[in-house]
Amino acid sequence: MRLATAATEDIGATPRGTLSIFPVTGGSFDGDRLRGRVLAGGGDWVTTKADGVIEVDLRVTLETDDGVLIHMTFTGVRDDGHEYFRTLPRFETAAPQYAFLHRLLAVGIGEIRDEGPVHIIEEVL
């Protein structure tokens, strides 16, 4: 999954850490069982802790190439000092052909690239 984001909304220092919101403006995804685009309107709530570890909380809507909407969320941990970025995606949809998404656990590996965030998401078997 590739994400496009708008300018960061810096909330500032909070009791939990420094909060920033990255509005998602679009993107795309493709895999063995589904592909399509990421719709604008989601976001990634990012909290940087005092030790530099970053907590992510992403919420987006995916639209498959056959027109189905899928709500995707993930939480995760990013530690740039150790090149570590892992997420736990979850999915929700009303479409029967994608009901398998409700029954799977997945793990994501994220990267921040010049063109934006990229996440490789794999089902845990």
Side-chain angles (χ1 to χ4, degrees), residues 22-72:
F22 293 79
V24 173
T25 59
S28 62
F29 63 95
D30 59 90
D32 294 339
R33 294 189 275 180
L34 61 157
R35 63 196 42 77
R37 65 189 184 119
V38 179
L39 300 181
D44 192 1
W45 285 255
V46 176
T47 302
T48 304
K49 306 299 226 168
D51 62 1
V53 173
I54 300 166
E55 293 180 351
V56 297
D57 179 5
L58 178 100
R59 303 164 204 167
V60 294
T61 301
L62 309 176
E63 182 179 32
T64 63
D65 58 359
D66 58 348
V68 169
L69 297 180
I70 299 169
H71 176 62
M72 183 183 115

mmCIF file of all heavy atoms in Angstrom, residues 22-72:
data_model
loop_
_atom_site.group_PDB
_atom_site.id
_atom_site.type_symbol
_atom_site.label_atom_id
_atom_site.label_comp_id
_atom_site.label_asym_id
_atom_site.label_seq_id
_atom_site.Cartn_x
_atom_site.Cartn_y
_atom_site.Cartn_z
ATOM 1 N N PHE A 22 -1.208 13.245 10.041
ATOM 2 C CA PHE A 22 -0.871 13.241 8.620
ATOM 3 C C PHE A 22 -2.143 12.916 7.841
ATOM 4 O O PHE A 22 -2.549 11.756 7.770
ATOM 5 C CB PHE A 22 0.200 12.191 8.323
ATOM 6 C CG PHE A 22 1.535 12.498 8.931
ATOM 7 C CD1 PHE A 22 1.780 12.245 10.277
ATOM 8 C CD2 PHE A 22 2.552 13.048 8.164
ATOM 9 C CE1 PHE A 22 3.011 12.524 10.843
ATOM 10 C CE2 PHE A 22 3.778 13.338 8.731
ATOM 11 C CZ PHE A 22 4.018 13.078 10.066
ATOM 12 N N PRO A 23 -2.815 13.927 7.260
ATOM 13 C CA PRO A 23 -4.026 13.651 6.474
ATOM 14 C C PRO A 23 -3.683 12.822 5.227
ATOM 15 O O PRO A 23 -2.730 13.134 4.508
ATOM 16 C CB PRO A 23 -4.522 15.033 6.073
ATOM 17 C CG PRO A 23 -3.865 15.975 7.041
ATOM 18 C CD PRO A 23 -2.543 15.351 7.362
ATOM 19 N N VAL A 24 -4.434 11.761 4.999
ATOM 20 C CA VAL A 24 -4.229 10.926 3.815
ATOM 21 C C VAL A 24 -5.063 11.499 2.672
ATOM 22 O O VAL A 24 -6.276 11.700 2.821
ATOM 23 C CB VAL A 24 -4.603 9.459 4.099
ATOM 24 C CG1 VAL A 24 -4.558 8.622 2.829
ATOM 25 C CG2 VAL A 24 -3.671 8.878 5.165
ATOM 26 N N THR A 25 -4.414 11.760 1.549
ATOM 27 C CA THR A 25 -5.094 12.353 0.396
ATOM 28 C C THR A 25 -5.328 11.364 -0.735
ATOM 29 O O THR A 25 -5.966 11.689 -1.731
ATOM 30 C CB THR A 25 -4.290 13.544 -0.143
ATOM 31 O OG1 THR A 25 -2.980 13.078 -0.527
ATOM 32 C CG2 THR A 25 -4.168 14.639 0.907
ATOM 33 N N GLY A 26 -4.808 10.150 -0.592
ATOM 34 C CA GLY A 26 -4.988 9.134 -1.621
ATOM 35 C C GLY A 26 -3.928 8.073 -1.525
ATOM 36 O O GLY A 26 -3.220 7.963 -0.530
ATOM 37 N N GLY A 27 -3.825 7.286 -2.577
ATOM 38 C CA GLY A 27 -2.837 6.224 -2.626
ATOM 39 C C GLY A 27 -3.371 5.035 -3.396
ATOM 40 O O GLY A 27 -4.422 5.107 -4.047
ATOM 41 N N SER A 28 -2.645 3.938 -3.301
ATOM 42 C CA SER A 28 -3.048 2.727 -4.009
ATOM 43 C C SER A 28 -2.590 1.505 -3.229
ATOM 44 O O SER A 28 -1.739 1.594 -2.342
ATOM 45 C CB SER A 28 -2.440 2.708 -5.415
ATOM 46 O OG SER A 28 -1.028 2.687 -5.341
ATOM 47 N N PHE A 29 -3.189 0.362 -3.571
ATOM 48 C CA PHE A 29 -2.787 -0.904 -2.964
ATOM 49 C C PHE A 29 -2.991 -2.012 -3.985
ATOM 50 O O PHE A 29 -3.841 -1.926 -4.862
ATOM 51 C CB PHE A 29 -3.570 -1.189 -1.672
ATOM 52 C CG PHE A 29 -5.047 -1.355 -1.872
ATOM 53 C CD1 PHE A 29 -5.605 -2.616 -2.022
ATOM 54 C CD2 PHE A 29 -5.895 -0.254 -1.917
ATOM 55 C CE1 PHE A 29 -6.971 -2.774 -2.218
ATOM 56 C CE2 PHE A 29 -7.252 -0.400 -2.111
ATOM 57 C CZ PHE A 29 -7.794 -1.667 -2.259
ATOM 58 N N ASP A 30 -2.170 -3.036 -3.875
ATOM 59 C CA ASP A 30 -2.354 -4.197 -4.747
ATOM 60 C C ASP A 30 -1.749 -5.417 -4.071
ATOM 61 O O ASP A 30 -0.763 -5.324 -3.355
ATOM 62 C CB ASP A 30 -1.739 -3.960 -6.128
ATOM 63 C CG ASP A 30 -0.256 -3.672 -6.076
ATOM 64 O OD1 ASP A 30 0.536 -4.626 -6.136
ATOM 65 O OD2 ASP A 30 0.115 -2.492 -5.956
ATOM 66 N N GLY A 31 -2.412 -6.527 -4.288
ATOM 67 C CA GLY A 31 -1.970 -7.786 -3.711
ATOM 68 C C GLY A 31 -2.574 -8.947 -4.466
ATOM 69 O O GLY A 31 -3.201 -8.769 -5.511
ATOM 70 N N ASP A 32 -2.399 -10.136 -3.920
ATOM 71 C CA ASP A 32 -2.891 -11.344 -4.573
ATOM 72 C C ASP A 32 -4.416 -11.394 -4.653
ATOM 73 O O ASP A 32 -4.962 -11.910 -5.615
ATOM 74 C CB ASP A 32 -2.392 -12.590 -3.843
ATOM 75 C CG ASP A 32 -0.883 -12.754 -3.938
ATOM 76 O OD1 ASP A 32 -0.285 -12.170 -4.867
ATOM 77 O OD2 ASP A 32 -0.310 -13.443 -3.085
ATOM 78 N N ARG A 33 -5.104 -10.876 -3.612
ATOM 79 C CA ARG A 33 -6.560 -11.027 -3.557
ATOM 80 C C ARG A 33 -7.355 -9.742 -3.699
ATOM 81 O O ARG A 33 -8.568 -9.782 -3.858
ATOM 82 C CB ARG A 33 -6.958 -11.728 -2.261
ATOM 83 C CG ARG A 33 -6.461 -13.174 -2.227
ATOM 84 C CD ARG A 33 -7.025 -13.921 -1.058
ATOM 85 N NE ARG A 33 -6.195 -13.681 0.115
ATOM 86 C CZ ARG A 33 -6.423 -14.200 1.305
ATOM 87 N NH1 ARG A 33 -7.472 -14.979 1.501
ATOM 88 N NH2 ARG A 33 -5.628 -13.953 2.308
ATOM 89 N N LEU A 34 -6.699 -8.595 -3.617
ATOM 90 C CA LEU A 34 -7.409 -7.337 -3.822
ATOM 91 C C LEU A 34 -6.455 -6.228 -4.206
ATOM 92 O O LEU A 34 -5.277 -6.282 -3.899
ATOM 93 C CB LEU A 34 -8.241 -6.941 -2.600
ATOM 94 C CG LEU A 34 -7.562 -6.686 -1.266
ATOM 95 C CD1 LEU A 34 -8.471 -5.794 -0.437
ATOM 96 C CD2 LEU A 34 -7.364 -7.979 -0.512
ATOM 97 N N ARG A 35 -7.002 -5.266 -4.925
ATOM 98 C CA ARG A 35 -6.223 -4.114 -5.367
ATOM 99 C C ARG A 35 -7.180 -2.955 -5.587
ATOM 100 O O ARG A 35 -8.372 -3.162 -5.767
ATOM 101 C CB ARG A 35 -5.425 -4.417 -6.623
ATOM 102 C CG ARG A 35 -6.239 -4.754 -7.836
ATOM 103 C CD ARG A 35 -5.450 -5.425 -8.945
ATOM 104 N NE ARG A 35 -4.501 -6.435 -8.549
ATOM 105 C CZ ARG A 35 -4.804 -7.686 -8.195
ATOM 106 N NH1 ARG A 35 -6.040 -8.087 -8.195
ATOM 107 N NH2 ARG A 35 -3.879 -8.529 -7.835
ATOM 108 N N GLY A 36 -6.642 -1.761 -5.553
ATOM 109 C CA GLY A 36 -7.487 -0.591 -5.759
ATOM 110 C C GLY A 36 -6.788 0.665 -5.309
ATOM 111 O O GLY A 36 -5.571 0.787 -5.385
ATOM 112 N N ARG A 37 -7.607 1.598 -4.793
ATOM 113 C CA ARG A 37 -7.049 2.889 -4.394
ATOM 114 C C ARG A 37 -7.427 3.221 -2.955
ATOM 115 O O ARG A 37 -8.430 2.730 -2.436
ATOM 116 C CB ARG A 37 -7.511 3.985 -5.336
ATOM 117 C CG ARG A 37 -8.994 4.247 -5.305
ATOM 118 C CD ARG A 37 -9.403 5.196 -6.425
ATOM 119 N NE ARG A 37 -10.825 5.492 -6.314
ATOM 120 C CZ ARG A 37 -11.334 6.692 -6.118
ATOM 121 N NH1 ARG A 37 -10.546 7.743 -6.031
ATOM 122 N NH2 ARG A 37 -12.623 6.872 -6.016
ATOM 123 N N VAL A 38 -6.616 4.063 -2.356
ATOM 124 C CA VAL A 38 -6.878 4.588 -1.020
ATOM 125 C C VAL A 38 -7.611 5.906 -1.222
ATOM 126 O O VAL A 38 -7.134 6.775 -1.962
ATOM 127 C CB VAL A 38 -5.570 4.809 -0.236
ATOM 128 C CG1 VAL A 38 -5.859 5.377 1.145
ATOM 129 C CG2 VAL A 38 -4.764 3.517 -0.145
ATOM 130 N N LEU A 39 -8.758 6.053 -0.589
ATOM 131 C CA LEU A 39 -9.546 7.274 -0.746
ATOM 132 C C LEU A 39 -9.013 8.393 0.144
ATOM 133 O O LEU A 39 -8.471 8.138 1.232
ATOM 134 C CB LEU A 39 -11.005 7.004 -0.420
ATOM 135 C CG LEU A 39 -11.714 5.951 -1.280
ATOM 136 C CD1 LEU A 39 -13.171 5.826 -0.852
ATOM 137 C CD2 LEU A 39 -11.608 6.283 -2.757
ATOM 138 N N ALA A 40 -9.203 9.616 -0.289
ATOM 139 C CA ALA A 40 -8.851 10.773 0.536
ATOM 140 C C ALA A 40 -9.789 10.831 1.735
ATOM 141 O O ALA A 40 -10.918 10.355 1.677
ATOM 142 C CB ALA A 40 -8.963 12.049 -0.288
ATOM 143 N N GLY A 41 -9.323 11.411 2.818
ATOM 144 C CA GLY A 41 -10.169 11.614 3.989
ATOM 145 C C GLY A 41 -9.722 10.873 5.221
ATOM 146 O O GLY A 41 -10.210 11.140 6.315
ATOM 147 N N GLY A 42 -8.793 9.952 5.082
ATOM 148 C CA GLY A 42 -8.266 9.244 6.252
ATOM 149 C C GLY A 42 -7.113 10.013 6.855
ATOM 150 O O GLY A 42 -6.822 11.155 6.476
ATOM 151 N N GLY A 43 -6.457 9.390 7.810
ATOM 152 C CA GLY A 43 -5.321 10.042 8.428
ATOM 153 C C GLY A 43 -4.509 9.103 9.283
ATOM 154 O O GLY A 43 -4.945 7.994 9.598
ATOM 155 N N ASP A 44 -3.336 9.573 9.653
ATOM 156 C CA ASP A 44 -2.432 8.835 10.527
ATOM 157 C C ASP A 44 -2.113 9.733 11.710
ATOM 158 O O ASP A 44 -1.510 10.797 11.550
ATOM 159 C CB ASP A 44 -1.165 8.460 9.767
ATOM 160 C CG ASP A 44 -0.305 7.452 10.494
ATOM 161 O OD1 ASP A 44 -0.685 7.018 11.598
ATOM 162 O OD2 ASP A 44 0.762 7.101 9.964
ATOM 163 N N TRP A 45 -2.559 9.314 12.892
ATOM 164 C CA TRP A 45 -2.304 10.037 14.127
ATOM 165 C C TRP A 45 -0.999 9.489 14.695
ATOM 166 O O TRP A 45 -0.922 8.322 15.063
ATOM 167 C CB TRP A 45 -3.458 9.847 15.107
ATOM 168 C CG TRP A 45 -4.676 10.634 14.744
ATOM 169 C CD1 TRP A 45 -5.119 11.765 15.355
ATOM 170 C CD2 TRP A 45 -5.619 10.376 13.685
ATOM 171 N NE1 TRP A 45 -6.265 12.225 14.739
ATOM 172 C CE2 TRP A 45 -6.593 11.388 13.712
ATOM 173 C CE3 TRP A 45 -5.724 9.394 12.700
ATOM 174 C CZ2 TRP A 45 -7.646 11.447 12.810
ATOM 175 C CZ3 TRP A 45 -6.777 9.442 11.799
ATOM 176 C CH2 TRP A 45 -7.727 10.465 11.865
ATOM 177 N N VAL A 46 0.013 10.328 14.756
ATOM 178 C CA VAL A 46 1.364 9.908 15.096
ATOM 179 C C VAL A 46 1.796 10.584 16.393
ATOM 180 O O VAL A 46 1.789 11.814 16.480
ATOM 181 C CB VAL A 46 2.332 10.276 13.940
ATOM 182 C CG1 VAL A 46 3.754 9.939 14.303
ATOM 183 C CG2 VAL A 46 1.912 9.571 12.655
ATOM 184 N N THR A 47 2.166 9.772 17.380
ATOM 185 C CA THR A 47 2.620 10.298 18.664
ATOM 186 C C THR A 47 4.078 9.919 18.871
ATOM 187 O O THR A 47 4.418 8.731 18.887
ATOM 188 C CB THR A 47 1.763 9.741 19.819
ATOM 189 O OG1 THR A 47 0.388 10.072 19.590
ATOM 190 C CG2 THR A 47 2.198 10.316 21.155
ATOM 191 N N THR A 48 4.931 10.930 19.019
ATOM 192 C CA THR A 48 6.343 10.696 19.286
ATOM 193 C C THR A 48 6.568 10.767 20.783
ATOM 194 O O THR A 48 6.290 11.789 21.423
ATOM 195 C CB THR A 48 7.219 11.741 18.562
ATOM 196 O OG1 THR A 48 6.908 11.701 17.166
ATOM 197 C CG2 THR A 48 8.688 11.455 18.766
ATOM 198 N N LYS A 49 7.033 9.669 21.339
ATOM 199 C CA LYS A 49 7.274 9.573 22.781
ATOM 200 C C LYS A 49 8.601 10.232 23.159
ATOM 201 O O LYS A 49 9.441 10.513 22.299
ATOM 202 C CB LYS A 49 7.302 8.107 23.206
ATOM 203 C CG LYS A 49 6.064 7.330 22.794
ATOM 204 C CD LYS A 49 4.849 7.912 23.412
ATOM 205 C CE LYS A 49 3.998 6.822 23.989
ATOM 206 N NZ LYS A 49 2.953 7.303 24.823
ATOM 207 N N ALA A 50 8.819 10.450 24.440
ATOM 208 C CA ALA A 50 10.034 11.096 24.937
ATOM 209 C C ALA A 50 11.295 10.330 24.539
ATOM 210 O O ALA A 50 12.345 10.931 24.314
ATOM 211 C CB ALA A 50 9.968 11.241 26.454
ATOM 212 N N ASP A 51 11.202 8.997 24.404
ATOM 213 C CA ASP A 51 12.373 8.195 24.039
ATOM 214 C C ASP A 51 12.594 8.120 22.531
ATOM 215 O O ASP A 51 13.483 7.413 22.052
ATOM 216 C CB ASP A 51 12.278 6.792 24.621
ATOM 217 C CG ASP A 51 11.082 6.002 24.114
ATOM 218 O OD1 ASP A 51 10.304 6.522 23.279
ATOM 219 O OD2 ASP A 51 10.913 4.844 24.560
ATOM 220 N N GLY A 52 11.770 8.827 21.741
ATOM 221 C CA GLY A 52 11.916 8.844 20.293
ATOM 222 C C GLY A 52 11.118 7.790 19.556
ATOM 223 O O GLY A 52 11.024 7.822 18.331
ATOM 224 N N VAL A 53 10.541 6.845 20.295
ATOM 225 C CA VAL A 53 9.701 5.827 19.663
ATOM 226 C C VAL A 53 8.395 6.477 19.232
ATOM 227 O O VAL A 53 7.825 7.303 19.943
ATOM 228 C CB VAL A 53 9.450 4.640 20.618
ATOM 229 C CG1 VAL A 53 8.434 3.661 20.039
ATOM 230 C CG2 VAL A 53 10.765 3.923 20.912
ATOM 231 N N ILE A 54 7.923 6.093 18.055
ATOM 232 C CA ILE A 54 6.737 6.694 17.457
ATOM 233 C C ILE A 54 5.602 5.673 17.433
ATOM 234 O O ILE A 54 5.797 4.549 16.979
ATOM 235 C CB ILE A 54 7.059 7.170 16.021
ATOM 236 C CG1 ILE A 54 8.189 8.203 16.065
ATOM 237 C CG2 ILE A 54 5.819 7.708 15.332
ATOM 238 C CD1 ILE A 54 8.817 8.477 14.707
ATOM 239 N N GLU A 55 4.435 6.066 17.927
ATOM 240 C CA GLU A 55 3.236 5.234 17.841
ATOM 241 C C GLU A 55 2.375 5.771 16.705
ATOM 242 O O GLU A 55 2.149 6.978 16.606
ATOM 243 C CB GLU A 55 2.445 5.285 19.142
ATOM 244 C CG GLU A 55 3.161 4.649 20.310
ATOM 245 C CD GLU A 55 2.349 4.717 21.594
ATOM 246 O OE1 GLU A 55 1.293 5.402 21.625
ATOM 247 O OE2 GLU A 55 2.785 4.102 22.568
ATOM 248 N N VAL A 56 1.895 4.871 15.844
ATOM 249 C CA VAL A 56 1.050 5.281 14.728
ATOM 250 C C VAL A 56 -0.349 4.697 14.898
ATOM 251 O O VAL A 56 -0.529 3.631 15.482
ATOM 252 C CB VAL A 56 1.652 4.863 13.365
ATOM 253 C CG1 VAL A 56 2.977 5.552 13.139
ATOM 254 C CG2 VAL A 56 1.817 3.363 13.266
ATOM 255 N N ASP A 57 -1.332 5.428 14.398
ATOM 256 C CA ASP A 57 -2.742 5.031 14.465
ATOM 257 C C ASP A 57 -3.395 5.506 13.172
ATOM 258 O O ASP A 57 -3.809 6.649 13.058
ATOM 259 C CB ASP A 57 -3.395 5.671 15.690
ATOM 260 C CG ASP A 57 -4.862 5.345 15.824
ATOM 261 O OD1 ASP A 57 -5.395 4.545 15.030
ATOM 262 O OD2 ASP A 57 -5.499 5.911 16.730
ATOM 263 N N LEU A 58 -3.447 4.625 12.176
ATOM 264 C CA LEU A 58 -3.924 4.974 10.839
ATOM 265 C C LEU A 58 -5.360 4.509 10.644
ATOM 266 O O LEU A 58 -5.730 3.423 11.086
ATOM 267 C CB LEU A 58 -3.042 4.309 9.779
ATOM 268 C CG LEU A 58 -3.479 4.579 8.341
ATOM 269 C CD1 LEU A 58 -2.622 5.682 7.748
ATOM 270 C CD2 LEU A 58 -3.377 3.324 7.512
ATOM 271 N N ARG A 59 -6.142 5.331 9.956
ATOM 272 C CA ARG A 59 -7.524 4.989 9.591
ATOM 273 C C ARG A 59 -7.759 5.472 8.172
ATOM 274 O O ARG A 59 -7.622 6.664 7.891
ATOM 275 C CB ARG A 59 -8.506 5.666 10.532
ATOM 276 C CG ARG A 59 -8.261 5.312 11.990
ATOM 277 C CD ARG A 59 -8.965 6.249 12.917
ATOM 278 N NE ARG A 59 -8.263 6.234 14.198
ATOM 279 C CZ ARG A 59 -8.459 7.106 15.140
ATOM 280 N NH1 ARG A 59 -9.316 8.087 14.974
ATOM 281 N NH2 ARG A 59 -7.787 7.022 16.262
ATOM 282 N N VAL A 60 -8.084 4.546 7.258
ATOM 283 C CA VAL A 60 -8.326 4.909 5.867
ATOM 284 C C VAL A 60 -9.467 4.056 5.302
ATOM 285 O O VAL A 60 -9.824 3.027 5.858
ATOM 286 C CB VAL A 60 -7.067 4.719 4.977
ATOM 287 C CG1 VAL A 60 -5.961 5.671 5.367
ATOM 288 C CG2 VAL A 60 -6.580 3.292 4.992
ATOM 289 N N THR A 61 -9.989 4.517 4.170
ATOM 290 C CA THR A 61 -10.954 3.741 3.411
ATOM 291 C C THR A 61 -10.298 3.322 2.108
ATOM 292 O O THR A 61 -9.732 4.148 1.391
ATOM 293 C CB THR A 61 -12.221 4.561 3.108
ATOM 294 O OG1 THR A 61 -12.804 4.977 4.351
ATOM 295 C CG2 THR A 61 -13.244 3.731 2.342
ATOM 296 N N LEU A 62 -10.374 2.017 1.838
ATOM 297 C CA LEU A 62 -9.864 1.458 0.598
ATOM 298 C C LEU A 62 -11.035 1.236 -0.347
ATOM 299 O O LEU A 62 -12.117 0.832 0.097
ATOM 300 C CB LEU A 62 -9.173 0.118 0.856
ATOM 301 C CG LEU A 62 -8.122 0.070 1.962
ATOM 302 C CD1 LEU A 62 -7.621 -1.358 2.142
ATOM 303 C CD2 LEU A 62 -6.976 1.018 1.665
ATOM 304 N N GLU A 63 -10.831 1.480 -1.622
ATOM 305 C CA GLU A 63 -11.830 1.140 -2.633
ATOM 306 C C GLU A 63 -11.189 0.150 -3.595
ATOM 307 O O GLU A 63 -10.196 0.472 -4.266
ATOM 308 C CB GLU A 63 -12.309 2.370 -3.396
ATOM 309 C CG GLU A 63 -13.381 2.020 -4.410
ATOM 310 C CD GLU A 63 -13.904 3.227 -5.163
ATOM 311 O OE1 GLU A 63 -13.126 4.186 -5.389
ATOM 312 O OE2 GLU A 63 -15.094 3.211 -5.519
ATOM 313 N N THR A 64 -11.743 -1.062 -3.646
ATOM 314 C CA THR A 64 -11.183 -2.092 -4.515
ATOM 315 C C THR A 64 -11.469 -1.775 -5.973
ATOM 316 O O THR A 64 -12.347 -0.967 -6.284
ATOM 317 C CB THR A 64 -11.759 -3.472 -4.163
ATOM 318 O OG1 THR A 64 -13.167 -3.453 -4.409
ATOM 319 C CG2 THR A 64 -11.486 -3.844 -2.709
ATOM 320 N N ASP A 65 -10.767 -2.466 -6.859
ATOM 321 C CA ASP A 65 -10.972 -2.224 -8.295
ATOM 322 C C ASP A 65 -12.357 -2.645 -8.772
ATOM 323 O O ASP A 65 -12.777 -2.257 -9.855
ATOM 324 C CB ASP A 65 -9.870 -2.874 -9.130
ATOM 325 C CG ASP A 65 -9.755 -4.370 -8.923
ATOM 326 O OD1 ASP A 65 -10.502 -4.957 -8.109
ATOM 327 O OD2 ASP A 65 -8.883 -4.976 -9.582
ATOM 328 N N ASP A 66 -13.100 -3.405 -7.937
ATOM 329 C CA ASP A 66 -14.491 -3.741 -8.284
ATOM 330 C C ASP A 66 -15.500 -2.886 -7.512
ATOM 331 O O ASP A 66 -16.679 -3.206 -7.445
ATOM 332 C CB ASP A 66 -14.770 -5.237 -8.116
ATOM 333 C CG ASP A 66 -14.516 -5.752 -6.710
ATOM 334 O OD1 ASP A 66 -13.901 -5.028 -5.896
ATOM 335 O OD2 ASP A 66 -14.924 -6.887 -6.409
ATOM 336 N N GLY A 67 -15.040 -1.781 -6.926
ATOM 337 C CA GLY A 67 -15.931 -0.795 -6.327
ATOM 338 C C GLY A 67 -16.353 -1.021 -4.896
ATOM 339 O O GLY A 67 -17.217 -0.314 -4.385
ATOM 340 N N VAL A 68 -15.736 -1.965 -4.192
ATOM 341 C CA VAL A 68 -16.094 -2.263 -2.806
ATOM 342 C C VAL A 68 -15.279 -1.374 -1.859
ATOM 343 O O VAL A 68 -14.085 -1.151 -2.077
ATOM 344 C CB VAL A 68 -15.839 -3.754 -2.494
ATOM 345 C CG1 VAL A 68 -15.938 -4.039 -1.010
ATOM 346 C CG2 VAL A 68 -16.806 -4.629 -3.284
ATOM 347 N N LEU A 69 -15.937 -0.892 -0.798
ATOM 348 C CA LEU A 69 -15.260 -0.094 0.217
ATOM 349 C C LEU A 69 -14.855 -0.980 1.398
ATOM 350 O O LEU A 69 -15.641 -1.808 1.859
ATOM 351 C CB LEU A 69 -16.163 1.030 0.709
ATOM 352 C CG LEU A 69 -16.565 2.065 -0.332
ATOM 353 C CD1 LEU A 69 -17.466 3.116 0.298
ATOM 354 C CD2 LEU A 69 -15.353 2.711 -0.982
ATOM 355 N N ILE A 70 -13.629 -0.769 1.858
ATOM 356 C CA ILE A 70 -13.082 -1.506 3.001
ATOM 357 C C ILE A 70 -12.494 -0.484 3.965
ATOM 358 O O ILE A 70 -11.672 0.356 3.563
ATOM 359 C CB ILE A 70 -11.985 -2.495 2.560
ATOM 360 C CG1 ILE A 70 -12.556 -3.526 1.583
ATOM 361 C CG2 ILE A 70 -11.359 -3.177 3.778
ATOM 362 C CD1 ILE A 70 -11.497 -4.381 0.901
ATOM 363 N N HIS A 71 -12.931 -0.553 5.218
ATOM 364 C CA HIS A 71 -12.354 0.304 6.259
ATOM 365 C C HIS A 71 -11.126 -0.420 6.806
ATOM 366 O O HIS A 71 -11.200 -1.578 7.195
ATOM 367 C CB HIS A 71 -13.381 0.541 7.371
ATOM 368 C CG HIS A 71 -12.857 1.314 8.526
ATOM 369 N ND1 HIS A 71 -12.400 2.606 8.424
ATOM 370 C CD2 HIS A 71 -12.714 0.968 9.825
ATOM 371 C CE1 HIS A 71 -12.003 3.027 9.614
ATOM 372 N NE2 HIS A 71 -12.175 2.046 10.473
ATOM 373 N N MET A 72 -9.986 0.270 6.805
ATOM 374 C CA MET A 72 -8.754 -0.319 7.319
ATOM 375 C C MET A 72 -8.190 0.572 8.416
ATOM 376 O O MET A 72 -8.168 1.798 8.276
ATOM 377 C CB MET A 72 -7.714 -0.457 6.218
ATOM 378 C CG MET A 72 -6.443 -1.128 6.701
ATOM 379 S SD MET A 72 -5.205 -1.206 5.408
ATOM 380 C CE MET A 72 -3.987 -0.153 6.137
#
